[in-house]
Amino acid sequence: MALIVQKYGGSSVADAECVKRVAQRIVTTKKAGNDVVVVVSAMGDTTDDLIDKAEQVSPLPPARELDMLLTAGERISMALLAMAIANLGHEARSFTGSQAGVITDGSHGKAKIIDVTPGRIRTALDEGSICIVAGFQGVSQGTKDITTLGRGGSDTTAVALAAALNADCCEIYTDVDGVFTADPRIVPAARRIPRISYEEMLEMAASGAKILHLRCVEYARRYNMPIHVRSSFSQKTGTWVVGSSDIEGHEMEQAIISGVAHDRSEAKITVVGVPDKVGEAATIFTVLSDAEINIDMIVQNVSAASTGRTDISFTLPVSDGQAALTALNKLKERIGFEALRYDDRVGKVSLIGAGMRSHPGVTATFFAAIADAGVNIEMISTSEIRISVVVGQDDVDTAVAAAHRAFDLDADQVEAVVYGGTGR
Ligand code: ADP
Ligand code: ASP
Ligand code: MG
């Protein structure tokens, strides 16, 4: 008997009809002789709606209370799904993240899972139950408060539970047929990737391809847990995310470039006129790290000989923008910079592919494609298997499509279907 962990995203359980369809799918898996643990997200855009509600009563809601509010979304869907399964004549029990043993640190809104102790899930499985677990939430080891794992975090709940239960695989059900060479919502000619390595998927997720939560891929790689990303609206095989050694046997499938990702959730801050002396960058980034702000790209210009000053630009999550400006402004005198510039109308476009290690000219082709599309590049960063550029937000779609075309990723026949979701 296999143990399968299935995760259903918000669009897969958007309304009562969807919940009933998903319940049917779960029962079919159970009837095929498997033990089934299901992780479920909040219905449709519930999480966004709850955030809007919070902002209506307070411009800056306390993080603890916001987490308490947001976890209600997953509670609704887990209970409804368990009811729909019961209605089909099968025993299902729902569990909050805390009841399922998802233990996190105390960092509200972006908590990290530090342990999973799924004793109650194991017992319920042994008693023949289907287990439904609320995604995206846990309980802090220190404070015992309820926490959330960050937007899209239900994927991470699923893989973490799959690893802790030693499951055979983790299926992530969503509103597209797998991982594509670009977001099908902006590149209809995107192709489904049959198999992708953990490391390429990590770069895609870190570059904004929200099809999988970044930490879910980190988890899967650490525990060598195969992930099958597929649609809950079709019966098609999706994308297998596996170790690179599991791909070598399928060399025909391995392209130089696996895909183009984009991210509109970052902002850019420029610290203007920083004195060009030892320790200034360290001071700036220590302030930001003390405020628990994650920095992505950093660019420091050569200082102008006449002034001995330079500009430092960096990108960060737009949600941390105001906190970063406040923290830096407090240090204005000490660092001696001249001004701060803030731009939240930026976007990041990234090209990802393990093959770029051994193929020269990839960078040149990428930049030429973006230039030919008339898009100006504001910042650049690279890793061994990724090149990212920051461009104006309105240019993101154009740049993604141009890069996709330049690397011959466009499919001859359109196969990318978006079955649901609002893309919010
Ligand atoms: P869920 O609610 O199921 O978790 P998400 O909205 O978080 O779904 O993720 C699925 C969405 O990810 C798709 O609808 C698609 O618009 C987007 N996406 C971004 N990049 C990709 C990609 N490379 N391949 C497939 N989907 C992508
Ligand atoms: N409901 C949460 C969100 O919208 C978590 C998830 O869907 O994975 O971000
Ligand atoms: Mg998601």
Side-chain angles (χ1 to χ4, degrees), residues 343-410:
D343 184 358
D344 59 6
R345 299 285 310 154
V346 294
K348 185 170 71 170
V349 177
S350 305
L351 187 71
I352 291 115
M356 72 173 73
R357 281 194 189 106
S358 48
H359 283 79
V362 170
T363 311
T365 308
F366 182 45
F367 290 173
I370 289 174
D372 290 348
V375 173
N376 183 42
I377 297 176
E378 297 181 20
M379 292 168 92
I380 299 169
S381 88
T382 60
S383 84
E384 229 191 343
I385 62 167
R386 175 188 50 80
I387 311 165
S388 301
V389 294
V390 169
V391 299
Q393 202 163 79
D394 295 338
D395 288 332
V396 167
D397 290 10
T398 311
V400 170
H404 199 263
R405 211 172 314 115
F407 287 93
D408 287 330
L409 296 172
D410 282 6

Side-chain angles (χ1 to χ4, degrees), residues 7-13 41-42 44 151-155 172-186 190-193 201 204 208-213 229-230 232-233 239 258-262 417-424:
K7 177 257 169 176
Y8 292 90
S11 48
S12 298
V13 291
S41 293
R151 299 304 307 271
S154 296
D155 298 338
I172 305 274
Y173 285 95
T174 183
D175 52 18
V176 289
D177 280 309
V179 182
F180 283 73
T181 47
D183 185 344
R185 279 179 211 272
I186 62 171
R191 276 190 238 176
R192 182 180 59 87
I193 304 171
M201 194 62 233
M204 294 269 282
K210 68 169 185 156
I211 181 79
L212 285 180
H213 195 229
V229 183
R230 54 193 307 199
S232 69
F233 299 82
T239 297
S258 41
V260 186
H262 70 280
V417 185
V418 179
Y419 297 93
T422 56
R424 195 173 165 185

Side-chain angles (χ1 to χ4, degrees), residues 311-370:
D311 295 346
I312 297 179
S313 296
F314 59 88
T315 59
L316 75 173
V318 74
S319 50
D320 287 336
Q322 288 313 317
L325 293 174
T326 309
L328 286 170
N329 264 323
K330 276 195 198 140
L331 270 200
K332 186 158 191 243
E333 302 298 303
R334 216 174 96 202
I335 303 174
F337 63 82
E338 288 163 1
L340 292 176
R341 246 185 254 137
Y342 182 67
D343 184 358
D344 59 6
R345 299 285 310 154
V346 294
K348 185 170 71 170
V349 177
S350 305
L351 187 71
I352 291 115
M356 72 173 73
R357 281 194 189 106
S358 48
H359 283 79
V362 170
T363 311
T365 308
F366 182 45
F367 290 173
I370 289 174

